[in-house]
Amino acid sequence: MRLRNVPGSREYIDTCKYAINDPESYKGKWRELFTKSPDSKLYIEIGTGKGRFIHDLAAANPDISFVGIEKFSSVLVRALEKADVIMPENLYFIRFDAENINEIFAEHEVDRIYLNFSDPWPKDRHAKRRLTSSQFLARYNNLLAKDGRIIFKTDNRALFDFSVEEAINSKWNIIDKTYDLHASHLNEGNIMTEYEERFSSQGVPICEMIIER
Ligand code: SAM
């Protein structure tokens, strides 16, 4: 993603009531935030970008609690500005680097992880930065509920093949996968992300895999 510095984005996030600025203090207690449905499932999206996907997903699923995680304030601020228009009550955002995700979620606390159009990091020496690398899968293994799932979408075939291989090598089960999501049964109920809309309008097929342990 091309990053442009957005002046004032940090300050905006610091004062926005939909952004959690001390996520470490919620470790093991995320559900307490969602007072309307404290027993709900907790779904997170890592690399939420401008937030359209999780926003629409939260609006369509009021009984599930959602947290969108984005590393950069200049990107997250766009999601939060959207939130000011119509904010689902079951959605919060945090600015955080997912590399340290085990510092903010307790063991088995999360029911589902969405990874949408994650950065490909094409150089081999950067492979461990990919959000589907074995290093990240080990982090997710810790925080996901026993029957928890990861749902990963991308336009990038090389990243997808890498991710399938990493899942298999890390002993995850591939529940389903497709190399053309929009022509697949998995497309039912699919919510498009900003990147998905852009790539599919150019005729690029979208890959998706669903994995669990
Ligand atoms: N998911 C959105 C979509 O599909 O439209 C955005 C995709 S964009 C290519 C990837 C996003 O992931 C960027 O906004 C980037 O800043 C974020 N990201 C990358 N690495 C991250 C990390 N370690 N922790 C949190 N966010 C990360």
Side-chain angles (χ1 to χ4, degrees):
M1 177 178 281
R2 194 163 54 90
L3 274 182
R4 217 168 333 126
N5 181 38
V6 177
S9 56
R10 279 246 177 180
E11 294 74 11
Y12 186 97
I13 292 167
D14 283 350
T15 56
C16 179
K17 63 181 176 182
Y18 307 123
I20 303 299
N21 291 305
D22 53 347
E24 293 86 352
S25 68
Y26 285 91
K27 184 172 180 173
K29 300 185 268 194
W30 281 98
R31 282 176 180 78
E32 291 174 15
L33 255 185
F34 300 93
T35 45
K36 284 219 158 166
S37 39
D39 300 322
S40 63
K41 297 268 185 200
L42 177 62
Y43 291 3
I44 66 173
E45 183 190 17
I46 302 175
T48 206
K50 294 179 187 168
R52 155 120 62 90
F53 170 84
I54 197 159
H55 207 268
D56 292 353
L57 190 64
N61 295 279
D63 297 332
I64 298 173
S65 303
F66 293 89
V67 177
I69 302 167
E70 169 54 47
K71 188 171 168 177
F72 293 109
S73 27
S74 45
V75 182
L76 183 60
V77 73
R78 300 299 177 214
L80 292 169
E81 285 168 349
K82 210 170 286 168
D84 273 354
V85 182
I86 19 161
M87 177 60 176
E89 289 182 16
N90 54 332
L91 172 61
Y92 285 94
F93 290 96
I94 58 182
R95 184 184 58 73
F96 195 77
D97 186 339
E99 197 169 319
N100 303 314
I101 196 154
N102 295 119
E103 290 175 11
I104 59 171
F105 292 106
E107 212 179 340
H108 308 319
E109 189 168 18
V110 172
D111 294 289
R112 184 173 293 181
I113 301 173
Y114 289 97
L115 302 171
N116 291 319
F117 299 81
S118 310
D119 295 328
W121 292 106
K123 292 188 176 129
D124 282 350
R125 68 189 156 87
H126 291 148
K128 66 174 191 292
R129 296 186 191 174
R130 298 173 193 151
L131 293 181
T132 50
S133 66
S134 56
Q135 289 85 350
F136 271 97
L137 290 176
R139 295 175 183 121
Y140 306 149
N141 182 44
N142 190 271
L143 60 89
L144 260 187
K146 286 203 160 44
D147 58 354
R149 290 184 167 190
I150 299 174
I151 303 184
F152 170 58
K153 290 196 272 195
T154 182
D155 62 299
N156 186 310
R157 183 60 192 265
L159 177 64
F160 190 69
D161 291 344
F162 166 86
S163 306
V164 168
E165 214 169 288
E166 290 289 271
I168 292 169
N169 292 341
S170 304
K171 310 274 184 269
W172 290 66
N173 296 316
I174 298 182
I175 303 302
D176 214 337
K177 74 173 192 297
T178 174
Y179 296 94
D180 190 358
L181 174 63
H182 297 166
S184 149
H185 68 280
L186 292 176
N187 197 42
E188 200 186 322
N190 180 50
I191 289 180
M192 295 251 247
T193 80
E194 276 104 349
Y195 270 62
E196 182 172 0
E197 202 151 275
R198 189 189 309 164
F199 288 120
S200 59
S201 71
Q202 295 165 4
V204 181
I206 307 302
C207 302
E208 181 176 271
M209 76 170 181
I210 303 172
I211 61 172
E212 64 180 27
R213 277 92 100 230

